Amino acid sequence: MGDLAIETAGVGKRFGAVHALRDVTLSVPRGTVLGLLGHNGAGKSTLVNILATLCPPTSGTARVAGFDTVRQGRQVRRRIALTGQFAALDERISGRDNLLLVARLLGAGPRAARRHAAERLETFDLTAAADRVVRTYSGGMRRRLDLAASTLGDPEVLFLDEPTTGLDPAARITTWRIVERLAREGTTVVLSTQYLEEADRLADTICVLASGRIVATGTPAELKARVGGRVATARLPSAAAVPAVMRALLEQGLGPEHDPGRGVLAVPVTGPRDLANVARVLDAHAADAYELSVTSPTLDDVYLSLTQQPVAPPRAAVR
Ligand SMILES: Nc1ncnc2c1ncn2[C@@H]1O[C@H](COP(=O)(O)OP(=O)(O)OP(=O)(O)O)[C@@H](O)[C@H]1O
Ligand SMILES: [Mg+2]
């Protein structure tokens, strides 16, 4: 099927008057992880659903695993799996029986199905709960079971629509490890998320969607580089030292800024020499400075600069 797992050209989707997607053109090399990032209603699920053949685009074309999602839907479906935004499990039967059911539906014989189910339960850390009815599972366990079911058919392309929304930090990290392992083993993964940290950790390429359009594409590092470089910050308790510090930093060719309200000095730096100069100046003129640190732009900064819309709840203030 060539080197691309996914290739779209000018994909658009309208729901009546709502333009859910416009002119989405992207390509995803095999064995890579694509992160779809965007606010509520940006079009992430719509794009995932089109690629997974659940709905046709109103314009443009999409190929997945080498086949056209509209004309060759059956071939596409044979090679993909989808874990939706809401888990699709039978609540009334056990986790093991859910997996057995899916394995049999995928064509495995009874023995092979038992073996595959047991393997997946082990991998997804569900062996202890395997024979409990799913109704008694926590949200994180359901997600893991859903993921386990999705991987039963050894899909070439796995679509994960917000796989960690609503999970606690431990369950989120477990899910990340699973995605990382699948990617290492060669599965192409398309993952939609509202968590920038998640896209940063997992995605080889990030596609930022806003109001149905792609507003940026690149590696996490490329996207971060777009909003600027590193900044050294320090807290200066005494305002009296500020003028001398600012003057000395300017003499070093640096561009310091001081926020008197928070007592924070911020200096864009490009390398260790700049940082050493900042440290020397503080040592000479403001010995009581503290919390000298270097921060890189986060994907939050990227996202905000691209869309002017917050995506995740604000992080708790860190002291
Ligand atoms: N079946 C539908 N009928 C009408 N409008 C729809 C339908 N599905 C999606 N939309 C609209 O298309 C737009 C994109 O929705 P979509 O579900 O793709 O967003 P999303 O990025 O997945 O959002 P979320 O983060 O909330 O899951 C929204 O305006 C939504 O209301
Ligand atoms: Mg969605």
Side-chain angles (χ1 to χ4, degrees), residues 186-208:
T187 310
T188 306
V189 180
V190 175
L191 163 126
S192 85
T193 184
Q194 298 192 42
Y195 300 112
L196 300 143
E197 186 194 359
E198 179 163 298
D200 199 1
R201 166 150 174 181
L202 296 178
D204 297 298
T205 306
I206 292 176
C207 203
V208 182

Side-chain angles (χ1 to χ4, degrees), residues 47-318:
L47 181 56
V48 166
N49 290 343
I50 287 171
L51 296 175
T53 78
L54 294 181
C55 71
T58 35
S59 53
T61 57
R63 293 177 79 78
V64 172
F67 297 95
D68 184 278
T69 53
V70 175
R71 287 180 293 105
Q72 300 168 300
R74 189 198 296 241
Q75 282 95 322
V76 173
R77 281 190 289 280
R78 226 180 268 150
R79 291 165 177 82
I80 65 168
L82 167 68
T83 299
Q85 200 165 356
F86 308 99
L89 300 163
D90 190 334
E91 300 263 314
R92 300 158 305 174
I93 60 176
S94 71
R96 188 189 307 279
D97 286 343
N98 265 283
L99 295 183
L100 283 174
L101 195 68
V102 174
R104 294 303 302 272
L105 284 172
L106 288 167
R111 253 166 186 240
R114 290 215 141 277
R115 199 179 63 242
H116 294 323
E119 274 168 19
R120 291 304 188 283
L121 288 165
E122 194 63 40
T123 306
F124 291 81
D125 203 15
L126 287 165
T127 303
D131 297 305
R132 274 166 46 193
V133 289
V134 168
R135 203 180 325 111
T136 68
Y137 280 22
S138 72
M141 292 163 78
R142 281 165 206 246
R143 286 292 177 143
R144 294 207 301 272
L145 185 62
D146 205 22
L147 268 173
S150 298
T151 63
L152 273 170
D154 291 324
E156 285 175 34
V157 184
L158 177 61
F159 295 97
L160 303 173
D161 196 3
E162 301 200 19
T164 67
T165 299
L167 296 189
D168 70 29
R172 172 167 297 149
I173 288 167
T174 307
T175 307
W176 289 350
R177 296 215 173 107
I178 290 166
V179 172
E180 283 165 347
R181 186 164 73 208
L182 290 167
R184 258 201 316 277
E185 289 166 358
T187 310
T188 306
V189 180
V190 175
L191 163 126
S192 85
T193 184
Q194 298 192 42
Y195 300 112
L196 300 143
E197 186 194 359
E198 179 163 298
D200 199 1
R201 166 150 174 181
L202 296 178
D204 297 298
T205 306
I206 292 176
C207 203
V208 182
L209 285 171
S211 307
R213 290 179 197 279
I214 296 180
V215 293
T217 308
T219 64
E222 282 166 357
L223 293 182
K224 287 181 208 167
R226 286 171 59 151
V227 291
R230 291 161 189 222
V231 177
T233 60
R235 290 187 180 269
L236 301 183
S238 82
V242 171
V245 168
M246 298 295 276
R247 209 166 30 242
L249 288 170
L250 287 167
E251 277 166 13
Q252 298 290 339
L254 294 165
E257 280 178 31
H258 179 246
D259 175 347
R262 295 190 303 138
V264 171
L265 175 78
V267 190
V269 291
T270 53
R273 175 170 306 177
D274 286 348
L275 185 59
N277 283 335
V278 173
R280 256 195 298 275
V281 166
L282 290 175
D283 188 39
H285 301 282
D288 55 351
Y290 65 108
E291 284 183 2
L292 173 60
S293 62
V294 180
T295 54
S296 298
T298 65
L299 274 180
D300 295 74
D301 302 326
V302 176
Y303 193 85
L304 289 169
S305 79
L306 285 168
T307 66
Q308 311 291 313
Q309 284 209 51
V311 282
R315 281 181 288 180
V318 179

Side-chain angles (χ1 to χ4, degrees), residues 15 18 20 39-46 85 162 194:
F15 295 103
V18 177
H39 57 80
N40 288 136
K44 304 180 296 294
S45 295
T46 304
Q85 200 165 356
E162 301 200 19
Q194 298 192 42

